Amino acid sequence: MAWMGKGGARRRERIEALERPEYGWIWKPLLALLVIYLVVTLALGIWWSRTPAPHSVEQVPMERRGDAGGEPAARGAVTVATLASIVETLYDKPGGYLRNDRLPPGLWLDNMPSWERGVLDQARDLARALPSMHPHEVELLEEVVRGLAGDGLDWYRPATESHLVSAVAALDSQLTALGGMQAEGFVPGAGLRRWLADVGVRLDELSLRLASGAGGHQMLRELAIDSEALPEGTPWYRVDNVFFEARGTGWALVQMLEGVQRDQADVLESAGVTERWERLRAELAMTQRRLWSPVVMSGSGFGPFANHTLVMALHVSRARDLVEEITTVLAESAALEAGGDGVTQAPASEPEVVEVTRDAQAAPEAAVQQEAEQSEANQEEANQEEAGQEETGQEETGQEEAGQEEAGQDEAGQEEPAPQASE
């Protein structure tokens, strides 16, 4: 039993060594803090990964203009205010801008940083088109382009957040310059085709990346995508990144399209693309439907699991086709206006339009009635003269026919032989 006593003594020595004053209980609170930190970061990660709600395009210009929100603004104010709100959301949402984070939970999050990339790409495309939309004042707009440039991954001074803040400040300054009826607004229709061309390129690239991650090129025939033109297949662990990048693209484009439509409604209506514009917005709004699954799944065919990537690719490819149609129609409309075919001239025989004044409208009704009675009297006299001429003609015709009948009877009497007396 001695060996059992020695084993118990060694165990007691190890326990005493752990509980000596030089060690204390430091390792236990450290372990507890580590567990609390992991739980907190997990909760923050779930909260920060929630997609922000879209802004109200009607309210954004009034809110950003402050006291001057109730006054009318020049063309382009809604577009500038919408872009400023979208860029501000990138660093003002819960968690801030996450793409350049170097610590948890932003370090291990990938869905929201991918969403931010999609939003930032669309903001850059619209910012590059703004100087051509408003060529009169390009200093502030070029500052916006510089603020949104870069890869968006800078985390040290100057960080990406500081660039975004400077871009929003320049947009707010431009919005203030567009206030009031005396301000010179955007040129009607200028820069629309350039912006839509960039949007079409982005959507086409996204549709290809989404389709390549759907697995199997046989399923892509419904999307009218050439399987040979597809990029390399997206790894399964990055499929959700492309999916959320597409959601960020749709989130930004839905608001941008509405803002541009409010500023360029007359241009879109004259070109006949208003209906297509609404369909494009509706198609992109379908990309924002709620994802009920905790993960992005890429099922196959009619299997038990859905294919979220393929559905997203379908909506993106339809939106790309609509963008191409709108761009083509706008180009044709601009060509017609440049050639002068769209201007309709009145015929030479058409009388000139005389502007009616209030005094002319207040003329006495008696004069109008007198003119009407005079015209009716003239018409009756003309009708009577025509009736008299017809009666005279008929009488002369009757007399001529009677004379001809009498002449015929005389001739017949002369030709008939006289009767002879009988012997």
Side-chain angles (χ1 to χ4, degrees), residues 77-313:
V78 182
T79 302
V80 172
T82 302
L83 179 59
S85 298
I86 290 174
V87 176
E88 188 178 33
T89 303
L90 290 173
Y91 62 85
D92 197 34
K93 61 181 176 59
Y97 188 74
L98 301 179
R99 288 191 67 205
N100 59 353
D101 281 7
R102 293 295 182 268
L103 294 174
L107 179 63
W108 60 48
L109 296 179
D110 58 349
N111 292 343
M112 182 51 64
S114 299
W115 182 89
E116 293 171 349
R117 178 182 177 183
V119 175
L120 186 58
D121 287 343
Q122 294 304 318
R124 288 169 177 166
D125 291 342
L126 182 56
R128 283 195 295 266
L130 288 181
S132 58
M133 293 181 180
H134 192 43
H136 308 290
E137 298 180 4
V138 296
E139 296 181 359
L140 292 174
L141 300 179
E142 289 179 352
E143 184 177 351
V144 175
V145 176
R146 291 192 298 268
L148 296 178
D151 56 3
L153 299 177
D154 299 333
W155 62 277
Y156 193 66
R157 299 180 181 179
T160 302
E161 289 86 346
S162 61
H163 294 299
L164 298 179
V165 171
S166 63
V168 172
L171 287 170
D172 287 335
S173 299
Q174 181 63 53
L175 182 61
T176 303
L178 290 172
M181 297 300 296
Q182 302 298 329
E184 188 173 8
F186 286 13
V187 178
L192 276 182
R193 285 179 291 164
R194 173 183 176 179
W195 174 55
L196 291 175
D198 293 340
V199 170
V201 172
R202 295 283 189 186
L203 294 178
D204 184 63
E205 180 186 359
L206 269 178
S207 64
L208 292 177
R209 291 169 60 195
L210 288 166
S212 65
H217 293 170
Q218 186 68 22
M219 295 185 297
L220 305 180
R221 293 180 178 178
E222 298 179 358
L223 300 177
I225 297 176
D226 186 8
S227 59
E228 297 180 357
L230 293 175
E232 296 182 1
T234 305
W236 63 270
Y237 55 88
R238 293 192 179 276
V239 170
D240 58 335
N241 297 351
V242 183
F243 180 87
F244 278 93
E245 183 179 346
R247 285 178 71 92
T249 299
W251 183 87
L253 274 179
V254 168
Q255 301 174 75
M256 292 178 181
L257 288 170
E258 185 177 358
V260 173
Q261 183 179 8
R262 291 182 179 275
D263 284 331
Q264 307 287 348
D266 54 342
V267 177
L268 300 179
E269 185 176 359
S270 62
V273 297
T274 303
E275 182 180 357
R276 290 188 180 93
W277 199 276
E278 294 290 343
R279 287 169 52 195
L280 176 59
R281 286 178 51 199
E283 196 67 47
L284 290 171
M286 296 295 289
T287 63
Q288 303 304 304
R289 290 180 297 174
R290 182 174 181 179
L291 181 65
W292 293 95
S293 174
V295 295
V296 177
M297 294 188 294
S298 297
S300 59
F302 294 98
F305 298 104
N307 195 320
H308 300 141
T309 307
L310 192 60
V311 174
M312 181 65 74

Side-chain angles (χ1 to χ4, degrees), residues 350-368:
E350 185 176 351
E352 297 182 357
V353 179
V354 180
E355 185 177 1
V356 180
T357 60
R358 295 179 178 267
D359 297 338
Q361 293 178 353
E365 297 180 356
V368 178

